[in-house]
Amino acid sequence: MPRFKPLPAELDSSAAQLVVRLRELKEHGELTMRRLAADTGYSSRSWERYLGGTSLPPRAAVEALARVTGADPVRLLALHEVAAASWDIRRAEPAVQSRPTTQEPQERLRPEHEKGERREQERERKPLPGPMMPVPGTAVTPKEPAESPAGESVPRRLPHIALTAGVAALAVALTATLLLVLRLGEDVTPAAVASPAGAAPAAPQPSYTCRITRADGRWSAGVNNGRDAEITYGDTGADVAEAQCLLRRAGISPGGIDGMFGPLTLRAVKTFQDREGLVVDGMLGPRSWKALRG
């Protein structure tokens, strides 16, 4: 007894050649209808129609069978393309020769095998049923968690509405925090860092101008009236400004003429003392003043 039924007599030769090749691949791979359905993703009833010649298999089904059996998909797809062209022509001829004169729905005019194929494809494409929404006015009884085949309970998924609400609340909280930080940053103005009440405002820093002159063999910058007071690191005032002017005249930069004995002035003093052969202690005493004014 043959394993396949004879092909329909009205089947085109190109379509028949495709079906015969598909049958050969199934037999060569020793595939049952159930195994074929599991490996390709198309149901057993669909493959019965495809291999029986009553329905043209889709291109994806041909590719899936070639992949499962290890056959060359290029040749199979070429056969499928030719068969599809002839199949479309054969389906169009009856519609051209005799058009229906009644208002009968087109679904009733389709051949029975095409109706079955269409219903089968719709079932395959139909999505899995999702959670049912409660009907207004009816009580909803919570369902017990489903159990896996091993008997372990599977927790239900978090409702989509609750998840969306949580994300929205988090976004609102983050936005409020950002606005608060920006508001606090705007409030910290110079007026907020003002001096304590009752404290006198800081006196402006005095400005010094070097007026280098030489009288009686001594250099003077005209800042401290020619005093040679001893100054050291951290001192401020006109004596420091006088020394800074004279250091600059000697070709050593102390930084700015600001009357502050800071790091730059200290470095300039030590450089000058080293050049003049004095004790390099960074302190301007009588000998260092004499060298500066000489």
Side-chain angles (χ1 to χ4, degrees), residues 49-253:
R49 293 194 303 272
Y50 301 157
L51 299 178
T54 59
S55 178
L56 181 68
R59 179 186 179 91
V62 175
E63 291 179 340
L65 181 59
R67 183 182 67 255
V68 170
T69 58
D72 182 14
V74 177
R75 185 171 182 272
L76 274 180
L77 293 177
L79 290 175
H80 178 271
E81 185 176 354
V82 177
S86 63
W87 192 280
D88 293 340
I89 294 175
R90 183 173 62 86
R91 292 178 59 185
E93 287 177 353
V96 175
Q97 293 176 359
S98 57
R99 295 184 178 180
T101 57
T102 64
Q103 298 298 325
E104 187 176 9
Q106 294 297 324
E107 183 65 24
R108 297 182 56 187
L109 297 179
R110 295 179 179 272
E112 289 300 325
H113 68 274
E114 293 186 8
K115 294 180 184 179
E117 178 186 358
R118 182 175 181 182
R119 288 193 295 268
E120 184 68 24
Q121 293 178 353
E122 290 177 353
R123 282 197 298 270
E124 293 174 357
R125 293 194 300 265
K126 186 176 181 181
L128 294 175
M132 298 181 62
M133 297 298 294
V135 180
T138 60
V140 179
T141 304
K143 295 183 179 180
E144 294 295 332
E147 291 190 355
S148 63
E152 300 177 353
S153 59
V154 180
R156 293 183 301 171
R157 295 182 179 178
L158 182 67
H160 179 69
I161 297 178
L163 180 60
T164 304
V167 173
L170 180 60
V172 172
L174 291 176
T175 304
T177 304
L178 180 60
L179 292 176
L180 179 60
V181 171
L182 294 176
R183 188 67 173 269
L184 290 176
E186 293 175 356
D187 291 342
V188 180
T189 59
V193 196
S195 58
Q205 292 291 338
S207 59
Y208 301 98
T209 303
C210 298
R211 297 181 177 87
I212 305 297
T213 59
R214 186 173 177 82
D216 299 330
R218 287 168 51 89
W219 289 104
S220 173
V223 178
N224 71 341
N225 298 323
R227 292 191 305 270
D228 294 341
E230 183 177 299
I231 56 175
T232 186
Y233 184 78
D235 289 339
T236 59
D239 294 331
V240 177
E242 178 84 8
Q244 290 173 335
C245 290
L246 295 177
L247 286 169
R248 180 173 292 181
R249 187 209 65 80
I252 303 173
S253 173

